[in-house]
Amino acid sequence: MSDGTCARTGQAAAWVLGTLSADEAERFSAHLEVCVVCREEVVRLRGAVDALADTAPPAAPPAELRERVMAAVEEEAALFRAADEVERAPHPARTHRRTRRASRAVLGGGIALLAVGLGLGAAAGGLLSSSSQDERRGEVARTLVGSVTEDGGGVRARAAVVIRGRVAQLVLTDLAPPPRGRVYQAWVLRVPSRAEPTGALFSVPRSGDTRISLPSLRGAERVIVTAEPPRGSRTPTPPPRVVVGLAR
Amino acid sequence: MADSHASLRSLSDEELVRRSAHIDSEAFAMLYDRHSATAFSLARRMLGSSGAEDAVQEAFFSLWRAAPAYDAVRGSVRLWLLGMVRNRSIDALRKRSVHERQRIEFEALEERAAAPDGTEEQVIAAERSAVARAALQTLPPEQRQVLELAYFGGWAQTEIAERLGLPLGTVKGRTRLALEKLRSSLDASMRTSG
């Protein structure tokens, strides 16, 4: 590699095309982390792969497709804006009008809709009642969206920490099940080098959607989820599948 | 608060994704308008007339949800999106029979591009397509075949070797040469047009 060549550069084309076997792809991905020659080759060939999409015969997408995509996006955007609105409300006594509006658009169903939007289905009723209690107590909600690795379900999956008052929950949707013989374990990272187990060991139902109650997040930097042995671990053993940053 | 369509049009894909991550649905709509024609054409080329809309819908919704995780180091927004379209399409293809997949490939060979009489974005996509198709035509037929089977057919190298009755090494070599040559042809056409 020091002379600007690498014996494995020939694999770059198949890698960018996604035609390597899963094992080969994993090995080449690891190789890319350490080989600048292959990384440069990947960047160079990406342009050609990008152009391949343009060689498809042009076909105009139907207008209804845009309507469907944007309807789903607008629905979820409305839920998150609603959550933000609740978060921004500084004090219930001073924001009576806002709270009333929120109670129609947000709390009267918004958080419940958030639950539905996140695919929680049956959990919606519980969130609705707790959010109504939150409204009476004047507590506000924060939703912090995290990321899920490919093993955990990739871009199809979604992770968020929802904080209302002193109550924090990890909301997971479309999460891939843990490997055979493992369970998921949630951790709170208060300083970068120290992961504190939450006591939450869980698998996921067939739907891939679940909610996990979290301990106090005071001083926490992030919440992570790892796949651990059945009884859990004292410290995280594999890399996290879910990471939600809290410092925002 | 919302930007006008015209001002959003001037923004880069990266900025539109950044805004989408902050729940700006109008910025996301601009991304849709900019890339949906290519995304749909790709899905239709891979899946035929059935399933393309679902693949594109799923890919755009994944883009919306994953916007906060976008990392420019891993490639452009367009490449990311089209990768999602392709992955969804390959998932759908793998549920189909080999015969059905071969029928789609045959139909694609028969299909000729018709310039869509549509939006400005669709016209731009059609122009890009003409350039890319011309570059693809510069490849020797055996290299083009391997590339199209891999990219549009979603076949693994071992499957392509088996299907064409070629040694795996030959398929690997043709794939690499095909992408290299396509890259060179595109560079040459850019120099000519530039």
Side-chain angles (χ1 to χ4, degrees):
Chain A
M1 285 188 282
S2 57
D3 60 352
T5 62
C6 173
R8 299 180 68 177
T9 307
Q11 282 187 293
W15 190 83
V16 293
L17 277 168
T19 56
L20 290 175
S21 70
D23 287 348
E24 286 176 318
E26 193 172 329
R27 283 197 295 273
F28 192 71
S29 296
H31 173 70
L32 282 176
E33 297 289 326
V34 296
C35 180
V36 67
V37 176
C38 288
R39 274 205 304 275
E40 286 173 356
E41 180 73 354
V42 162
V43 169
R44 209 172 64 80
L45 294 179
R46 265 185 193 150
V49 172
D50 190 31
L52 272 175
D54 292 319
T55 67
E64 304 80 57
L65 181 58
R66 187 185 196 280
E67 289 170 13
R68 286 204 301 275
V69 168
M70 290 313 301
V73 165
E74 290 290 1
E75 185 180 355
E76 193 163 281
L79 299 171
F80 277 95
R81 285 189 202 111
D84 280 351
E85 193 171 345
V86 176
E87 180 185 354
R88 281 197 302 270
H91 192 281
R94 281 188 289 115
T95 56
H96 184 62
R97 197 159 63 97
R98 177 194 289 264
T99 305
R100 279 180 57 185
R101 187 181 61 190
S103 66
R104 185 177 69 244
V106 184
L107 298 170
I111 298 299
L113 281 173
L114 176 63
V116 174
L118 289 170
L120 295 175
L127 273 177
L128 175 61
S129 58
S130 65
S131 63
S132 297
Q133 290 162 12
D134 291 341
E135 183 188 16
R136 285 194 292 274
R137 288 196 300 262
E139 292 180 351
V140 297
R142 294 178 69 201
T143 302
L144 300 158
V145 179
S147 59
V148 182
T149 65
E150 279 299 317
D151 289 341
V155 294
R156 294 172 194 231
R158 181 138 195 185
V161 168
V162 180
I163 305 169
R164 281 192 302 277
R166 294 179 182 176
V167 178
Q169 287 186 319
L170 175 62
V171 181
L172 300 160
T173 65
D174 290 333
L175 188 69
R180 186 181 294 273
R182 296 253 165 177
V183 295
Y184 280 131
Q185 186 167 10
W187 308 81
V188 174
L189 275 63
R190 297 190 194 277
V191 290
S193 59
R194 181 167 158 253
E196 174 188 309
T198 63
L201 298 174
F202 60 99
S203 188
V204 288
R206 186 180 292 268
S207 67
D209 303 339
T210 192
R211 284 184 304 159
I212 307 298
S213 292
L214 298 171
S216 166
L217 296 179
R218 184 179 293 274
E221 293 189 348
R222 58 180 66 93
V223 172
I224 65 169
V225 174
T226 57
E228 301 290 346
R231 292 187 175 183
S233 302
R234 296 171 73 89
T235 57
T237 47
R241 289 189 170 197
V242 174
V243 177
V244 184
L246 304 173
R248 280 174 243 178
Chain B
M1 186 177 70
D3 287 275
S4 70
H5 190 77
S7 64
L8 287 173
R9 186 182 285 269
S10 66
L11 298 177
S12 68
D13 283 355
E14 288 68 26
E15 175 60 17
L16 291 172
V17 164
R18 194 189 67 75
R19 292 185 179 208
S20 298
H22 288 84
I23 323 296
D24 183 342
S25 54
E26 290 188 21
F28 186 79
M30 178 56 68
L31 278 174
Y32 180 91
D33 292 340
R34 202 174 276 177
H35 296 296
S36 59
T38 304
F40 185 69
S41 302
L42 170 60
R44 202 163 185 286
R45 168 66 178 81
M46 293 181 75
L47 296 170
S49 54
S50 168
E53 288 186 35
D54 287 346
V56 171
Q57 184 174 344
E58 286 177 23
F60 269 102
F61 200 59
S62 293
L63 178 68
W64 163 253
R65 288 190 150 188
Y70 173 64
D71 180 1
V73 173
R74 291 171 180 264
S76 67
V77 173
R78 181 187 129 103
L79 198 64
W80 193 36
L81 168 68
L82 296 179
M84 291 178 188
V85 172
R86 194 162 163 259
N87 288 341
R88 301 296 176 278
S89 300
I90 290 173
D91 287 348
L93 279 173
R94 289 189 175 147
K95 293 175 185 161
R96 297 182 183 180
S97 67
V98 171
H99 175 76
E100 170 70 4
R101 292 174 71 175
Q102 288 172 342
R103 187 185 62 75
I104 293 168
E105 283 159 23
F106 180 77
E107 282 179 357
L109 290 175
E110 294 298 301
E111 192 166 1
R112 291 290 173 266
D117 182 20
T119 64
E120 184 183 340
E121 285 81 7
Q122 288 166 10
V123 172
I124 291 170
E127 287 170 356
R128 286 179 63 130
S129 177
V131 172
R133 287 158 74 90
L136 189 65
Q137 289 304 315
T138 64
L139 268 57
E142 65 275 12
Q143 290 181 14
R144 195 164 64 235
Q145 180 187 37
V146 167
L147 208 51
E148 290 187 323
L149 285 172
Y151 187 75
F152 293 117
W155 301 96
Q157 286 188 318
T158 49
E159 292 171 320
I160 295 171
E162 191 176 325
R163 198 175 144 190
L164 300 181
L166 294 170
L168 180 59
T170 302
V171 171
K172 288 181 176 178
R174 284 184 186 175
T175 303
R176 186 170 52 80
L177 289 171
L179 266 190
E180 294 274 357
K181 186 162 175 54
L182 183 60
R183 174 79 263 178
S184 301
S185 296
L186 288 166
D187 287 347
S189 64
M190 280 181 67
R191 279 196 298 273
T192 305
S193 63

